[in-house]
Amino acid sequence: MSVERVSIIWFTLDFIMRIVTCPDKNQFVKSLLNWFDLLAVIPFYLELMAHHLNPPFIMVLRLFRALRIVRIFKISRYFQGLFALGYALRQSAGELLILTMTLITFVALYSSLMFFSEGCAEPCDEHGCGERCSADDPNQFDSVVAGFWWSIVTMSTVGYGDYVPKTPLGNPAVMATLR
């Protein structure tokens, strides 16, 4: 028996026992965590019943497997540290949003900076970018989106190495990013 089946059986028995022993069924139905518990086990049982059905329905049913992530909410009930983490995230949601928007802005800015200092709008040798890159040494910053990875890795101080600047204009762009 797989770990998934054992955990589903355990969660199902736990859910049924809580329904049976709950003194106030209305309060039980209104609890959001109980709905998460139900959503955590339903996809498993739907898949068991779907073996008789046609293949397109099974493909739709596989989307419901993504609902298994709600099991985290079931497990989190037993760990006070997760409640503290959730509380801290809720309290700092505004600051996290500002941080995320700042990061997105600078990723777009520095990716564009590297694209315009290292690359060009078209493939290099064919459209007049000159000696910046050749067939042996292709341009790594061939679009702004290609520079996203570089800017995220560089700004997070992990460092860079897979994408490196090769032109005299690219080096000051790196210095601005690392600043």
Side-chain angles (χ1 to χ4, degrees):
M1 199 176 255
S2 71
V3 174
E4 179 185 16
R5 288 178 189 239
V6 169
S7 65
I8 288 292
I9 290 169
W10 180 262
F11 286 161
T12 303
L13 289 174
D14 176 60
F15 188 73
I16 290 171
M17 292 304 295
R18 285 188 292 120
I19 289 173
V20 169
T21 60
C22 179
D24 187 4
K25 306 286 191 242
N26 288 331
Q27 192 67 19
F28 185 85
V29 170
K30 291 178 184 177
S31 172
L32 182 64
L33 285 177
N34 292 329
W35 283 100
F36 282 134
D37 292 346
L38 183 62
L39 287 174
V41 297
I42 284 178
F44 177 79
Y45 293 113
L46 287 176
E47 280 188 41
L48 283 179
M49 293 185 290
H51 286 291
H52 318 310
L53 303 173
N54 58 0
F57 180 73
I58 291 175
M59 293 302 291
V60 171
L61 192 56
R62 287 185 182 156
L63 294 175
F64 282 107
R65 294 180 87 181
L67 289 176
R68 287 194 246 176
I69 193 67
V70 299
R71 291 181 195 156
I72 295 295
F73 294 110
K74 169 104 174 114
I75 293 171
S76 70
R77 162 181 321 184
Y78 303 109
F79 296 106
Q80 288 292 28
L82 290 177
F83 281 118
L85 177 64
Y87 178 77
L89 288 174
R90 276 193 304 277
Q91 293 301 314
S92 55
E95 291 84 1
L96 289 173
L97 180 63
I98 291 170
L99 176 69
T100 303
M101 292 307 296
T102 304
L103 180 66
I104 290 170
T105 302
F106 282 113
V107 163
L109 174 75
Y110 292 131
S111 298
S112 301
L113 184 65
M114 286 306 291
F115 170 68
F116 288 115
S117 64
E118 282 290 310
C120 62
E122 300 294 331
C124 281
D125 291 330
E126 296 175 4
H127 299 302
C129 288
E131 298 296 323
R132 291 187 184 180
C133 51
S134 65
D136 297 332
D137 190 19
N139 178 17
Q140 296 170 332
F141 298 97
D142 56 353
S143 71
V144 173
V145 177
F148 280 8
W149 170 251
W150 174 86
S151 62
I152 290 170
V153 169
T154 303
M155 286 192 305
S156 65
T157 67
V158 174
Y160 67 97
D162 49 352
Y163 292 151
V164 294
K166 296 180 180 139
T167 63
L169 287 175
N171 291 325
V174 172
M175 298 309 277
T177 305
L178 292 175
R179 179 181 69 85

